[in-house]
């Protein structure tokens, strides 16, 4: 009996001893005497192997089981070390320390802290946001939360920047320009963008005023660099919207990455008004390989193949719209189907050579091919009726206001090949950093278009004629294009320090020549930044330059109508590149609040454009006039607060104001006045003048917020919220009312919650089956959490009297998504 009591006492004592050890989370910041975070500072428990390093903001986080007390050591090259003893009276302890600089200089030590922006190019580590709720599936969903960037369609990866359209944004991957399919007209047809987030190292983005090394676009540049693995890494993910697989390996002289992606948006499209059989399927394979031939020579290959298949068989649609006092409902019954197929392939070789310190020389050769087919025959019979305010749903449908039919037909095929060879160079000496490049490119495009639409309202074909049956819309084209394009640039960045502060000057010149219209473009660009030596931390920058939107293919398609109303597309050899003069003035204020780092950014911009090719937007399809028939301007202000609203996580809030107008040259319409009997009294010609541009959003508010449970950071939350002005629109092919209306405000909130299971930390990960698993992320996402009814475009219903009514095409509603991500080791 005594022995049993002794054993019980020993067990209780051991349990008390075990419980005396408290699991503690310690976090905080390591800063210098200038109140800036110190990057890569060492933070560790004394006499142990438990330690970490601070991030670029000086943030650190440690976990440990402490019995009585423990000492934490803070150290960094060029600073004095500090020790701090803690007593675990609570499970979460925040400690921020200030390291004084060493009075004696230790050799040539570079103290790294928070980076300061000296150009309009903003850099971001995309790996921090892999848990962001993302309906589109691409990295572009992160961009639309940036200041000056907007998107009104969650189904698309396209975005607008400061009043520009989708085609005015240029995208680079490892210095190589990438393209997207040309025939896509709706977000439902889109697959994933070229960029594979699993392979991205860093992201650079500029919303205007960018350097001469970036190509001939008028709005923005997105510069992506893929990573080179240093060890084995792999990941898998699966969700209701598709899945991904990624693997990367590294050897002595060879590294490789392979990424597979599959996306199906059928689950998401089920929330649309149109009841249909959706069968969208997107597949993508991508690889990036590097081979170190010699110490100074490196060969890389970037390859991609993608296939996007979209099959759509509509059954019926029911859309209610209007106001409380004048509600309307459109009901459509369908026959027919749509079948689209987009295949693209891309390959690029790069040979890098470093002949001496500070110099990099590259030779690049790439080829892009796209084969696009869009075919549909869809018949619809519709009824437009009143909506009564009745509680009984069976009594809500009122009398019929109109009936009609339509038939939409298309057989569109496009093949394009873009092949180029280029040289890039860089040389850094003293305070100068020079960059140059030259490229020659061949573009071969074959385009065959056959589209028409027939409409019938109350038994009459529209437009009405008592002599013949007319088509509402009819266009044909058969064009082949083979051209050469040559581009070159040179720029120099000079840095200079004075007692007042640090200056950075970047000046450059870019040239472009295209054989299609024999036009030579010369684009000078200049930027200046100033980092004053003030007590408070500020930086300022100014950029200006001439930016051309060199036509590619869609812009040069000019429409000509014959006497029977048939529309033919010809290529306009007299087309000129659109031209824009940019002025960008901005500044950053770096500060700490609640002990955490923040940056407040303000940018003002003005863009003056001439030789503009006017366009209209339907969903994601941009329809150009094919002529230089307009002038335009865009002015605005962007505000951004970036920082750690929650310690250790980046969040930001943006607010933008914009005024974007265009004037179509020599456009006019006839205005009549009538007497009481309906007879014409006077007739005069009206010239509309300035009107809102198709991409004008007068205000935009967006935020990206991240959080976690303080006592268990393995539980995380991500919130993305957008509230932006609606886009201008008007009846099709009507110059009088081309921007008379606006879509409703676009509002969307996506939220995601996640839990990470870590190898060696969570018991479930000790299972031998999971011995090669590093982390498992369990995510629950809610898209459009507040179930806002956002409008993407309109379908116009016309009666026999040619009265038109805009029926909204609503975007997706609230939807849940479950996602699992696995990191292997």
């Amino acid at each position: 009996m005594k022995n049993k009591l002794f054993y019980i006492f020993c067990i209780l004592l051991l349990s008390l001893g075990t419980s005396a050890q408290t699991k503690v989370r310690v976090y905080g910041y390591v800063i210098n005497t200038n109140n800036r975070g110190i990057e890569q500072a060492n933070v560790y428990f004394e006499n142990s192997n438990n330690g970490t390093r601070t991030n670029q903001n000086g943030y650190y986080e440690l976990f440990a089981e402490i019995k009585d007390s423990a000492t934490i050591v803070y150290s960094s090259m060029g600073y004095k070390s500090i020790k701090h003893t803690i007593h675990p009276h609570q499970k979460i302890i925040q400690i921020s320390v200030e390291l004084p600089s060493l009075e004696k200089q230790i050799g040539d030590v570079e103290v790294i802290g928070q980076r300061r922006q000296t150009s309009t190019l903003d850099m971001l580590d995309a790996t921090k946001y892999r848990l962001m709720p993302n309906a589109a599936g691409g990295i572009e969903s992160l961009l639309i939360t940036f200041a000056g960037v907007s998107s009104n369609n969650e189904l698309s990866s396209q975005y607008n920047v400061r009043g520009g359209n989708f085609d005015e944004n240029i995208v680079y991957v490892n210095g190589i320009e990438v393209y997207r399919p040309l025939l896509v007209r709706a977000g439902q047809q889109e697959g994933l963008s070229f960029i594979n987030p699993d392979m991205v190292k860093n992201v650079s983005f500029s919303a205007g005023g960018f350097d001469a090394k970036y190509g001939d676009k008028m709005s923005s540049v997105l510069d992506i660099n893929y990573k080179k693995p240093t060890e084995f890494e792999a990941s898998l993910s699966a969700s209701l919207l598709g899945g991904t697989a990624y693997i990367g390996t590294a050897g002595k002289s060879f590294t490789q990455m392979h990424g597979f992606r599959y996306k199906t948006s059928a689950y998401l499209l089920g929330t649309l008004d149109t009841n249909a059989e959706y069968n969208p399927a997107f597949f993508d394979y991508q690889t990036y390989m590097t081979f170190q031939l010699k110490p100074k020579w490196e060969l890389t290959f970037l390859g991609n193949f993608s296939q996007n298949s979209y099959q759509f068989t509509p059954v019926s649609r029911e859309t209610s719209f209007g106001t409380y006092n004048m509600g309307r409902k459109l009901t459509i019954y369908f026959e027919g189907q749509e079948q689209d197929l987009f295949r693209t392939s891309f390959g690029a070789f790069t040979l890098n050579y470093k002949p001496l310190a500070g110099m990099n020389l590259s030779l690049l050769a790439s080829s892009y091919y796209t084969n696009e087919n869009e075919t549909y025959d869809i018949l619809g019979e519709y009824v437009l009726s009143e909506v009564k305010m009745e509680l009984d749903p069976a009594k809500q449908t009122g009398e019929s206001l109109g009936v009609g039919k339509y038939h939409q037909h298309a057989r569109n095929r496009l093949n394009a090949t873009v092949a180029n060879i280029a040289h890039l160079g860089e040389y850094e000496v003293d305070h100068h950093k020079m960059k140059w490049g030259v490229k020659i490119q061949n573009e071969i495009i074959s385009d065959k278009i056959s589209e028409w639409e027939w409409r019938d309202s109350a038994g009459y074909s529209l437009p009405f004629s008592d002599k013949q049956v007319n088509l509402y819309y009819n266009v044909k084209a058969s064009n082949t294009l083979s051209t050469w394009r040559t581009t070159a640039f040179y720029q120099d960045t000079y840095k200079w320090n004075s007692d007042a502060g640090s200056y950075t000057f970047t000046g450059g010149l870019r040239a472009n020549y295209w054989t299609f219209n024999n036009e030579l473009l010369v684009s000078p660009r200049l930027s200046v930044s100033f980092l004053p030596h003030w007590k408070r931390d500020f930086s300022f920058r100014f950029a200006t330059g001439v930016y051309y939107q060199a036509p590619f293919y869609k812009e040069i398609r000019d429409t000509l109508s014959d006497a029977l109303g048939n529309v033919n597309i010809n290529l306009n050899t007299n087309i000129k590149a659109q031209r824009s003069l940019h002025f960008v003035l901005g500044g950053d204020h770096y500060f700490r609040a609640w002990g955490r780092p923040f940056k407040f950014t303000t940018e003002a911009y003005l863009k003056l454009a001439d030789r503009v090719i006017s366009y209209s937007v339907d969903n994601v399809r941009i329809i150009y006039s094919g002529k230089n028939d307009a002038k335009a301007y865009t002015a605005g202000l962007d505000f951004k607060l970036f920082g750690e609203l929650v310690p250790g996580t980046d969040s930001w809030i943006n607010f933008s104001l914009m005024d974007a107008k265009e004037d179509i040259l020599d456009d006019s319409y006839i205005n009549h006045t009538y007497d009481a009997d309906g007879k014409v009294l006077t007739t005069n010609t009206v010239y509309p003048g300035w009107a809102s541009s198709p991409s004008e959003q007068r205000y935009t508010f967006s935020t990206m917020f991240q959080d976690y449970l303080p006592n268990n950071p393995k539980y995380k939350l991500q919130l993305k919220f957008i509230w932006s002005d609606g886009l201008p629109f008007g009846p099709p092919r009507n110059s009088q009312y081309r921007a008379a209306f606006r879509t409703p405000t676009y509002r969307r909130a996506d939220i995601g919650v996640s839990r990470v299971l870590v190898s060696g930390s969570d018991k479930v990960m000790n299972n031998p089956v999971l011995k090669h698993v590093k982390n498992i992320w369990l995510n629950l996402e809610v898209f459009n959490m507040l179930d806002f009814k956002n409008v993407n475009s309109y379908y116009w219903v016309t009666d026999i009297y040619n009265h038109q009514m805009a029926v909204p095409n609503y975007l997706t509603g609230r939807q849940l998504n479950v996602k699992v991500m696995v990191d292997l080791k």
Side-chain angles (χ1 to χ4, degrees):
M1 185 65 180
K2 291 182 178 180
N3 289 338
K4 290 183 178 180
L5 291 174
F6 176 77
Y7 291 141
I8 293 172
F9 176 78
C10 290
I11 291 172
L12 290 173
L13 187 64
L14 287 171
S15 64
L16 287 173
T18 303
S19 62
Q21 288 201 5
T22 305
K23 189 171 184 179
V24 177
R25 172 178 172 250
V26 184
Y27 72 95
Y29 297 87
V30 180
I31 61 175
N32 59 21
T33 53
N34 294 322
N35 210 23
R36 293 184 179 182
I38 301 175
E39 186 177 3
Q40 296 296 310
N42 297 306
V43 183
Y44 60 93
F45 286 100
E46 192 174 37
N47 301 321
S48 77
N49 295 324
N50 188 359
T52 186
R53 289 187 176 184
T54 57
N55 65 12
Q56 64 178 7
N57 295 322
Y59 178 80
Y60 74 92
E61 189 175 53
L62 283 174
F63 294 88
E65 291 187 355
I66 302 174
K67 184 176 180 181
D68 296 319
S69 64
T71 300
I72 303 177
V73 181
Y74 301 86
S75 66
S76 183
M77 184 74 73
Y79 296 94
K80 294 180 180 179
S81 297
I82 286 181
K83 295 183 179 181
H84 197 288
T85 301
I86 62 173
H87 301 275
H89 299 303
Q90 49 189 348
K91 293 183 179 181
I92 303 173
I93 303 174
Q94 180 179 357
I95 303 174
S96 295
V97 299
E98 181 182 290
L99 297 185
S101 300
L102 288 173
E103 296 179 2
K104 185 177 180 180
Q105 185 68 27
I106 305 177
D108 294 327
V109 176
E110 180 184 2
V111 179
I112 300 174
Q114 290 174 292
R115 296 176 178 86
R116 297 299 180 259
Q117 188 173 336
T118 58
S119 70
T120 62
L121 207 63
D122 197 6
M123 299 187 68
L124 194 70
D125 182 2
T127 59
K128 294 182 179 180
Y129 311 102
R130 61 183 301 208
L131 300 177
M132 178 186 68
N134 190 343
I139 204 168
E140 293 81 2
S141 293
L142 179 63
L143 287 183
I144 63 175
T145 63
F146 281 26
V149 185
S150 62
S151 172
N152 281 43
N153 190 342
E154 65 273 5
L155 295 173
S156 172
S157 61
Q158 304 307 312
Y159 51 91
N160 304 99
V161 179
R162 291 179 175 173
N165 66 37
F166 311 141
D167 293 333
E168 295 177 16
N169 307 313
I170 194 166
V171 179
Y172 289 93
V173 175
N174 289 359
I176 303 165
E177 183 179 356
V178 297
Y179 300 87
R180 68 185 184 96
L182 298 173
L183 287 184
V184 171
R185 66 175 66 211
Q188 295 92 311
Q189 295 173 307
E190 277 198 30
L192 294 165
S193 69
F194 181 93
I195 304 163
N196 188 330
D198 291 332
M199 303 171 71
V200 171
K201 178 183 179 183
N202 54 50
V203 178
S204 300
F205 179 77
S206 173
F210 39 88
D211 293 340
K213 70 175 184 177
Y214 295 115
D216 300 288
K217 299 286 186 179
M218 292 198 301
S219 285
S220 75
V221 57
L222 175 62
D223 192 2
I224 303 290
N225 282 320
Y226 277 2
K227 58 189 175 182
K228 291 173 60 176
T230 57
E231 59 183 1
F232 174 82
E233 55 186 41
S235 64
L236 301 168
S237 73
S239 76
L240 298 177
L241 300 179
T244 66
Y246 161 77
I247 185 171
T249 65
K252 264 190 173 183
S253 58
F254 180 70
T255 71
Q256 60 179 328
M257 292 191 298
H258 303 276
F260 302 85
R261 293 182 293 170
Y262 172 75
K263 177 187 176 183
T264 175
S265 53
Y267 173 68
L268 199 60
L269 297 177
T271 62
L272 298 177
D273 283 346
T274 300
N275 177 28
E277 294 181 16
Y278 295 98
N279 187 18
F282 175 87
F283 169 77
D284 166 87
Y285 165 71
Q286 202 161 145
T287 183
Y288 179 57
M289 296 179 282
T290 69
F291 184 64
Q292 196 74 37
L293 301 172
K294 292 182 178 180
K296 295 184 178 182
W297 292 87
E298 181 190 50
L299 180 66
T300 72
F301 173 73
L302 175 63
N304 170 264
F305 173 79
S306 68
Q307 176 174 294
N308 183 12
S309 172
Y310 177 71
Q311 297 180 10
F312 169 59
T313 306
V315 177
S316 63
R317 168 181 171 175
E318 188 173 287
T319 301
S320 298
F321 62 100
T323 63
Y324 180 85
N325 295 323
M326 195 174 69
R328 297 289 184 265
K329 183 170 70 173
L330 178 70
T331 304
I332 307 178
Y333 300 96
F334 296 101
E335 291 182 27
Q337 63 178 340
E338 177 177 355
Q339 292 186 347
D340 305 328
L341 184 63
F342 305 90
R343 284 198 183 106
T344 63
S345 56
F346 173 85
F349 286 95
T350 302
L351 182 64
N352 298 314
Y353 174 52
K354 297 182 179 180
L356 47 91
M359 177 175 282
N360 298 309
L361 303 175
S362 300
L363 182 65
L364 304 89
S366 68
S367 180
Y368 168 81
Y369 174 74
T370 180
N371 182 5
E372 306 175 23
N373 292 273
E374 182 185 45
T375 61
Y376 57 80
D377 270 294
I378 296 177
L379 293 82
E381 296 186 6
Y382 66 84
V383 178
L384 182 65
S385 57
E386 289 183 335
V387 175
K388 295 181 179 180
M389 297 300 121
E390 299 283 351
L391 294 177
D392 186 0
K395 298 179 180 180
Q396 290 179 356
T397 301
E399 64 180 75
S400 174
L401 301 176
V403 295
K405 303 177 181 179
Y406 67 87
H407 183 181
Q408 296 175 334
H409 167 93
R411 296 292 185 272
N412 300 331
R413 292 172 175 81
L414 184 141
N415 291 279
T417 300
V418 179
N420 58 64
I421 185 168
H423 162 66
L424 297 176
E426 178 181 311
Y427 183 46
E428 187 170 3
V429 58
D430 296 331
H431 299 288
H432 291 269
K433 189 173 186 178
M434 295 162 282
K435 295 182 179 181
W436 63 90
V438 61
K439 179 172 72 173
I440 184 169
Q441 179 169 290
N442 183 219
E443 301 161 1
I444 303 173
I445 300 174
S446 175
D447 183 23
K448 296 184 184 299
I449 294 178
S450 177
E451 287 183 29
W452 53 261
E453 181 178 354
W454 168 77
R455 289 194 184 184
D456 174 280
S457 180
Y460 295 90
S461 294
L462 299 176
F464 174 70
S465 172
D466 56 1
K467 297 180 180 179
Q468 60 187 11
V469 175
N470 292 321
L471 292 175
Y472 182 77
Y473 170 69
N474 178 27
V475 61
K476 287 186 177 293
S478 180
N479 295 302
T480 300
L481 181 69
S482 179
T483 60
W484 290 87
R485 195 188 303 265
T486 305
T487 60
F489 76 88
Y490 175 83
Q491 71 177 50
D492 184 13
T493 300
Y494 175 71
K495 294 184 177 181
W496 172 52
N497 294 316
S498 70
D499 293 337
S502 301
Y503 298 86
T504 302
F505 301 89
T506 300
L509 198 66
R510 186 174 186 88
N512 181 308
Y513 178 76
W514 195 25
T515 59
F516 176 76
N517 57 0
N518 295 315
E519 183 181 25
L520 175 64
L521 309 174
V522 179
S523 172
R525 303 177 189 179
L526 173 69
S527 66
V528 181
S529 72
F530 174 53
L531 277 66
H533 293 161
W534 296 348
K535 185 176 181 180
R536 293 190 175 182
D537 200 348
F538 284 88
S539 66
F540 304 95
R541 56 187 172 274
F542 172 76
T544 185
V546 178
Y547 295 82
Y548 288 94
Q549 178 81 15
F552 181 62
Y553 179 69
K554 291 191 297 184
E555 298 95 324
I556 66 178
R557 299 195 298 186
D558 189 10
T559 57
L560 298 174
S561 301
D562 60 21
L564 298 177
N566 298 310
V567 178
N568 293 289
I569 294 179
N570 295 326
L571 304 184
N572 183 6
T573 56
N574 296 318
I575 201 80
K576 299 296 181 183
Q578 301 177 85
R579 181 170 54 192
S580 178
L581 178 61
H582 287 201
F583 299 95
V584 181
L585 177 63
D588 302 317
H589 175 37
Y590 299 84
F591 63 98
R592 302 187 81 86
W594 308 290
R596 302 191 288 273
F598 289 90
K599 179 178 74 170
F600 182 71
T601 299
T602 302
E603 280 196 350
Y605 60 90
L606 173 65
K607 299 192 289 187
L608 306 173
D610 65 349
R611 309 198 308 190
V612 174
I613 305 171
S614 64
Y615 65 93
S616 60
V617 180
D618 181 16
N619 205 304
V620 298
R621 184 189 191 190
I622 300 176
I623 306 168
Y624 291 95
S625 66
K627 308 179 186 69
N628 299 103
D629 57 356
K631 58 183 179 180
Y633 73 85
T634 305
L637 282 169
D638 292 333
F639 304 95
K640 181 176 183 178
L641 177 64
F642 180 93
E644 298 188 2
L645 297 175
V646 176
T649 63
D650 292 337
S651 301
W652 56 85
I653 302 172
N654 305 307
F655 180 67
S656 299
L657 297 171
M658 181 205 304
D659 178 35
K661 297 292 187 292
E662 68 174 8
D663 181 9
I664 298 179
L665 306 176
D666 301 323
D667 66 324
S668 63
Y669 61 89
I670 304 299
N671 187 45
H672 302 287
T673 60
Y674 302 88
D675 62 12
D677 298 327
K679 295 181 180 179
V680 177
L681 292 177
T682 61
T683 300
N684 63 304
T685 303
V686 179
Y687 297 91
W690 293 97
S692 296
S693 67
S695 301
E696 183 194 47
Q697 289 182 289
R698 296 166 297 184
Y699 61 87
T700 301
F701 174 83
S702 62
T703 182
M704 175 65 189
F705 175 73
Q706 300 186 93
D707 199 359
Y708 55 82
L709 293 181
N711 58 348
N712 193 344
K714 293 179 181 179
Y715 290 91
K716 298 183 182 294
L717 177 143
Q718 301 81 30
L719 173 66
K720 183 175 68 174
F721 179 75
I722 299 171
W723 187 301
S724 60
D725 189 22
L727 293 171
F729 76 99
R733 296 174 288 279
N734 189 316
S735 61
Q736 181 177 356
Y737 301 105
R738 72 177 188 269
F741 313 104
R742 278 189 185 271
T743 61
T745 301
Y746 182 85
R747 299 162 297 170
R748 186 175 178 90
D750 296 337
I751 191 169
V753 292
S754 58
R755 167 67 157 95
V756 61
L757 303 174
V758 181
S759 176
S761 176
D762 293 280
K763 290 183 179 180
V764 68
M765 300 295 287
N766 295 330
N767 192 313
V769 178
L770 303 176
K771 63 180 180 179
H772 295 296
V773 175
K774 182 179 179 181
N775 299 315
I776 298 178
W777 289 94
L778 307 175
N779 301 338
L780 176 65
E781 300 172 330
V782 184
F783 300 135
N784 196 4
M785 178 178 60
L786 302 178
D787 202 23
F788 290 122
K789 297 284 285 185
N790 293 311
V791 176
N792 173 248
S793 59
Y794 288 87
Y795 178 75
W796 291 85
V797 178
T798 310
D799 62 18
I800 186 63
Y801 303 105
N802 207 29
H803 293 161
Q804 294 181 309
M805 188 171 295
V807 181
N809 296 317
Y810 291 111
L811 286 164
T812 58
R814 183 191 297 118
Q815 197 75 306
L816 295 176
N817 184 41
V818 178
K819 186 176 183 180
V820 179
M821 297 187 296
V822 180
D823 296 327
L824 304 178
K825 58 183 178 179

